[in-house]
Amino acid sequence: VVSNRGSFAGVRTGELGLERTDAGLAVLTISGEHDLSTAPTLRRRLDVLLEEGTATVVDLSSATFIDSSILGVILDARRRAAEAEIGFAVVNANGADAVDRVLEVTGLRAELPVHARREEAFSEASRDSGKSPA
Amino acid sequence: MSDGGFELTLPATAENVMVVRQAIAGLGEALGLPAQRIADLKTVVTEACNNVVLHAYDEETGPLHVSAEPASRSAAVRATEAARRFTSPMRRRSSATTGSRLRSPRSSRSR
């Protein structure tokens, strides 16, 4: 029996990184493995950005694993961003297999458009934003 | 249980899903499964464990039992709690089914 925390030998959760571009976009980078245990943190980060009204790009290029709970959080943020006319786009620039495959298996590829290039995602997030940065 | 399999009993918490996922990935590597197949196995096992973590217990956290049993052409993984069993068949030579099927043969009778 292993201890009840996710800190056992060599097991490490993924990380979230946030940067802001000169154009005022927020880029939330999801790297490593993300699942039910990190979904609440991801949700909180996206909540803050949406409450700010900040156009956001979610970058999955460095993700090595995501599950349905992470997809759910991203889909929910995307829906709320659309309702509030806040730019929102998702990018998987390296074509990370983990992301591609889970979109395929869950049948959510049509539901959640994922750009292959960061520039495209930046462009979509800027274009769609009712509060587009100057 | 066949050689090379494992059984784990952990508290059914979100954090422990990752522990199970790492264990199953290690087993897949030891069996020499292709990377794509290991990735699919991680997804199926994660979602099965998620079901237990999210839906098995109302208030107090109960146990999450996981057993993995490699066979000559497949690896059967079960994530269970007291009333339900989520089974994810893993056929090494049937790529169409891998990672996309999640059967829960006992779920209809539970609760």
Side-chain angles (χ1 to χ4, degrees):
Chain A
V1 175
V2 183
S3 75
N4 68 346
R5 302 301 300 174
S7 57
F8 116 115
V11 178
R12 203 162 65 87
T13 56
E15 293 170 355
L16 297 175
L18 179 64
E19 53 180 306
R20 293 176 191 260
T21 70
D22 292 341
L25 286 176
V27 182
L28 188 58
T29 300
I30 298 178
S31 57
E33 300 215 347
H34 286 267
D35 63 8
L36 207 54
S37 65
T38 57
T41 305
L42 175 62
R43 182 182 295 280
R44 281 194 296 274
R45 298 293 283 272
L46 287 167
D47 282 351
V48 169
L49 293 169
L50 290 174
E51 282 163 18
E52 288 174 0
T54 305
T56 298
V57 171
V58 175
D59 189 346
L60 295 169
S61 308
S62 304
T64 54
F65 181 87
I66 59 171
D67 74 351
S68 60
S69 67
I70 298 298
L71 283 178
V73 169
I74 295 172
L75 276 167
D76 185 56
R78 184 171 182 273
R79 177 186 57 75
R80 288 184 291 147
E83 287 173 2
E85 297 187 334
I86 299 167
F88 192 90
V90 181
V91 61
N92 181 22
N94 302 328
D97 289 345
V99 173
D100 255 9
R101 184 68 177 154
V102 78
L103 285 171
E104 184 183 327
V105 168
T106 55
L108 289 172
R109 202 183 288 284
E111 195 89 12
L112 185 65
V114 176
H115 293 280
R117 298 179 60 232
R118 280 167 68 98
E119 294 76 14
E120 291 173 2
F122 287 11
S123 173
E124 184 194 335
S126 301
R127 185 177 61 243
D128 291 352
S129 182
K131 302 168 185 173
S132 182
Chain B
M1 168 160 300
S2 307
D3 287 345
F6 66 79
E7 289 187 30
L8 283 174
T9 300
L10 305 166
T13 63
E15 290 76 14
N16 280 335
V17 176
M18 183 175 61
V19 175
V20 174
R21 188 166 61 248
Q22 297 294 332
I24 204 69
L27 176 62
E29 287 171 12
L31 290 173
L33 295 178
Q36 178 71 71
R37 203 58 63 83
I38 293 173
D40 287 348
L41 189 50
K42 286 168 68 176
T43 291
V44 174
V45 169
T46 295
E47 300 299 339
C49 291
N50 283 355
N51 281 334
V52 175
V53 171
L54 292 172
H55 305 301
Y57 305 103
D58 289 334
E59 292 176 6
E60 289 188 9
T61 297
L64 163 66
H65 304 291
V66 179
S67 66
E69 187 172 358
S72 61
R73 296 182 61 185
S74 66
V77 181
R78 294 185 177 83
T80 60
E81 43 89 11
R84 300 187 200 194
R85 171 173 294 180
F86 301 96
T87 303
S88 52
M90 179 76 178
R91 290 188 172 78
R92 295 175 78 172
R93 296 180 187 168
S94 177
S95 61
T97 63
T98 301
S100 57
R101 284 192 181 172
L102 187 60
R103 292 187 294 148
S104 51
R106 294 186 179 177
S107 61
S108 62
R109 280 183 280 147
S110 64
R111 292 202 291 201

